[in-house]
Every structure is written in C-alpha cells, then in structure tokens.
Amino acid sequence: MTAVTLTAPPALAPLLVRGALRSPFKRPAPDAAFPRTRLVLPDVRVDLAKLTAYERVCGFPTGEPDLPVTYPHVLGFPLAMRLMSGRDFPLPLLGLVHTSIEIVRGAAPAADRSYELCVWIAGLAAHRRGTEAAVVTELRSGGSVVWESRSTYLARHRTGPGTSPEPRQDAGPALPVVAEWNLAGDVGRRYGAASGDRNPIHLHPLTARLFGFPRAIAHGMWTLARCLAAHGIPDTAEVRARFRAPVLLPGTVAYGADGSGRFELRGEDGRVCVEGDVRGR
C-alpha cells in the first residue's frame, strides 16, 4: 500500500461533485480493483467552534476536554471521500449507503492536541444487495493509535450466481424505551454544517425525493452520535453499530437500551433504524 501525505484536509464539496459525476461510469463488483493508497494527514487540530456546533446538534455536553467518541469520524471523512470519489474506486458515490461502523477507542483523545489521521480502503466484499467497501480510519498520537474505526459502505446492484452474500439479520424484540425524541426538519442541515457532510438527501425534502426518499433523512452518523450521547461511553471502549433503516425528518424516534450495553433507535413505524452495543475495554 502506498502512503500519500496531505498538507491539508480536502474540501468536501468538490469531492461530492466529482464523485457524483463519475458515478454513472462505475461498475461495482466484489472482485473489482480498488485504491491501495493510505492517505495521511499529519498535525490535525480540531476547530473548537465546529466541535461545539457538533456537540450541540448531537446532544453531547459542550466544553468537555475530550472529543466525543464519534468526532474523529468527522475529521477523517474528507480523506475517505477523496478515496471514494476517485477514478480507481469502483463503487458509485451516488447511492452509496453507510451500513455499519466499528469504533475502538484506546483513550479519550483530548480536544486541544495535535493528531495524525490515516485513512484507507481495506477491501471489498459481496453483500446480498450488492458490494460493500470497508474504510478504515485511524487517529494517532505520538505514533500510537488512540482511536480507530472500520466503516462499511454498500453499493446496491444485482448480484450474480457466484456471489456469497451474508445472511439477512432480523431485529429481535424491542429494547426498553428510554426516551422519545422529536426531530426537527433542519437536523440534517445543522449536522451538515457542523460535520461538512452536505449530502443532498439530508438537507431538504425536494433533494431527498430525487433519490427516492419521501422527505429528508438524518445522517447515519448523527443517529449514532445522538444514541451514544444518551448512552454514555467509558474512556476506553468498543462501539459497534449497524444502520438498518433511514430516519425521516421531521419525525419522532424511540431510543432504547437494556443496561447491558445494547442500544437501538426505532422509527415511527417501529422499524429499527440503528442498533448497536458499547463495551468497555
């Protein structure tokens, strides 16, 4: 794998446009070639004003000395987008769905320190609905990994007879409801402003309808962050989450947890939108 060192984070808006324009020409398949590049961004410092906006929209307390457990994903997202919008990435950016994330936090990263970011594509895999790409993000301090994640992104397409798709996982009984949240229609715009992720499906009903949604949907990483803000996270922790259905905006959702580390978010129709678990290390 070739390491490429960047001098600044890539601008997200041009990458979204580039990826959208290239999407019709992509030919997704689990055995397709993919970029073998590790993007490295040294000396990353957190914009505290953006961090505060992020904490507010996600429900985390503001002014804490450490970063929220999901915030390094925001720092690494522009690097991931640079890889996924490139010519050598085989999955179309348009319609790409964030399906899961696993986070390992070895220590709570301080908000006022400098870090090194590393992002790369770990591989492709067959899925019952198409092809998934795995994207790894690492946050390093003093040469040691203090936070890492592995996200999967799904490109839906017809699967051939030779694929070995993963089995469908059905949701079990509902967890005890801890809280109900009434979500405003501007959650996607507020999160987009704080995170930089201004995908049109999250911003306005009209743009969401272009992609088949009846109205705007919440960012998957916002739904996870909102759940984890309510759940609470130990300094060293492992988080696993799967995004199962979109959260429509505006709307009402039910947050459930059972005290064992498991949590979920259900929509107005009772479907599980997000499910996951938190474990201390």
Side-chain angles (χ1 to χ4, degrees):
M1 185 174 290
T2 303
V4 175
T5 300
L6 307 179
T7 57
L12 274 171
L15 295 178
L16 283 169
V17 173
R18 184 178 77 174
L21 293 175
R22 289 175 173 169
S23 289
F25 305 100
K26 298 301 180 79
R27 298 293 180 265
D31 59 350
F34 59 90
R36 309 282 180 161
T37 303
R38 180 193 298 259
L39 295 182
V40 180
L41 183 61
D43 196 24
V44 174
R45 294 186 178 273
V46 175
D47 184 321
L48 296 181
K50 291 182 178 179
L51 173 60
T52 298
Y54 176 90
E55 291 168 336
R56 285 175 176 160
V57 72
C58 295
F60 291 107
T62 60
E64 294 293 308
D66 299 324
L67 296 176
V69 67
T70 47
Y71 197 72
H73 174 87
V74 173
L75 299 176
F77 188 65
L79 280 67
M81 282 296 299
R82 173 164 164 170
L83 291 172
M84 293 191 289
S85 63
R87 292 183 184 276
D88 53 353
F89 184 69
L91 309 187
L93 194 62
L94 281 181
L96 204 62
V97 179
H98 195 181
T99 50
S100 74
I101 186 169
E102 298 178 4
I103 297 172
V104 177
R105 185 167 75 174
D112 60 354
R113 292 183 183 173
S114 171
Y115 297 95
E116 180 183 82
L117 267 173
C118 301
V119 179
W120 68 93
I121 309 295
L124 305 179
H127 185 278
R128 61 186 177 84
R129 291 184 177 177
T131 299
E132 273 188 336
V135 180
V136 175
T137 301
E138 288 184 348
L139 192 69
R140 293 174 171 267
S141 177
S144 299
V145 177
V146 296
W147 184 100
E148 62 182 319
S149 72
R150 182 183 180 94
S151 284
T152 57
Y153 295 89
L154 171 65
R156 293 189 176 99
H157 60 84
R158 290 185 177 181
T159 56
T163 58
S164 300
E166 65 175 28
R168 184 185 183 94
Q169 296 180 354
D170 296 322
L175 298 180
V177 175
V178 176
E180 288 191 351
W181 300 323
N182 295 317
L183 308 182
D186 67 346
V187 166
R189 294 188 291 275
R190 290 172 58 210
Y191 181 83
S195 67
D197 184 357
R198 292 182 171 89
N199 187 317
I201 63 174
H202 304 303
L203 304 181
H204 195 276
L206 293 177
T207 52
R209 288 187 194 120
L210 296 176
F211 296 91
F213 298 101
R215 53 189 193 268
I217 64 171
H219 295 73
M221 285 303 296
W222 177 85
T223 62
L224 175 59
R226 186 66 186 87
C227 289
L228 295 178
H231 191 282
I233 305 293
D235 285 347
T236 59
E238 296 182 15
V239 176
R240 292 177 294 183
R242 181 168 291 274
F243 307 110
R244 296 176 61 94
V247 172
L248 298 177
L249 300 173
T252 301
V253 292
Y255 165 71
D258 65 359
S260 71
R262 294 192 303 153
F263 63 88
E264 67 182 18
L265 197 67
R266 289 184 181 257
E268 295 173 338
D269 58 1
R271 285 196 304 168
V272 175
C273 300
V274 184
E275 62 179 0
D277 63 82
V278 177
R279 301 183 185 277
R281 300 183 72 224

